Amino acid sequence: MSETNRLIIRQLRPSDRHQAEALHEQLLADEFEFLVGRGERESFADYVARQLANEEGRDIPEGWVRAGFYVAERDGELLGRLGVRYELNAFLASVAGHLGYGVGPAYRRQGVAEALARFGLQRLHASGVDQALITCDEANTGSRATIEKVGGRLDRQQPTVRRHDGGTTLRFWAPTG
């Protein structure tokens, strides 16, 4: 399935457990959850099954929306992940947006985030979403550059949101098609 140096974006698998948990720990230093929403006692296989069900619109927890969970892989190594939220609730419409991506520190500045964002925009387009809200922390210049590379433009009506933690989130809209 994989060619040397070829980036593959695919759904999370039970066999990804050790790499995914290692990336989760690395990204916690950036206050980013690789395995977002994983319960403390939830097995990795159950977590993967829950992500697949969520993508299909089944068993979605209260307050959550239908979403897909994808990972970027190169040469059998996980590099990052993408959450594609096919609809927006109040929190997502304000702060988090349609896409959430994170890349392991060792794999940044290699085009992984851009590839994940482009993939997410394609998935949204295929599901009927024309414009995607993509957000980032004001201090995250790398993520801002990624959003702008995929066509994101600052929201004219509400370009920033002050979060409860005192930080500022930038809000961009990007075409999906």
Side-chain angles (χ1 to χ4, degrees), residues 7 16 82 89 122 152 155 173:
L7 185 69
D16 294 325
L82 168 70
N89 59 25
Q122 291 169 358
D155 185 329
W173 288 96

Side-chain angles (χ1 to χ4, degrees), residues 98-152:
H98 285 98
L99 302 180
Y101 52 85
V103 176
Y107 313 110
R108 293 178 183 159
R109 298 180 184 248
Q110 298 176 25
V112 177
E114 182 180 350
L116 286 167
R118 288 191 189 284
F119 179 86
L121 291 171
Q122 291 169 358
R123 297 291 302 164
L124 289 168
H125 183 73
S127 73
V129 176
D130 294 325
Q131 292 285 317
L133 177 63
I134 311 173
T135 67
C136 68
D137 187 275
E138 184 176 44
N140 191 338
T141 57
S143 188
R144 181 179 183 152
T146 295
I147 295 167
E148 290 172 343
K149 282 181 189 174
V150 301

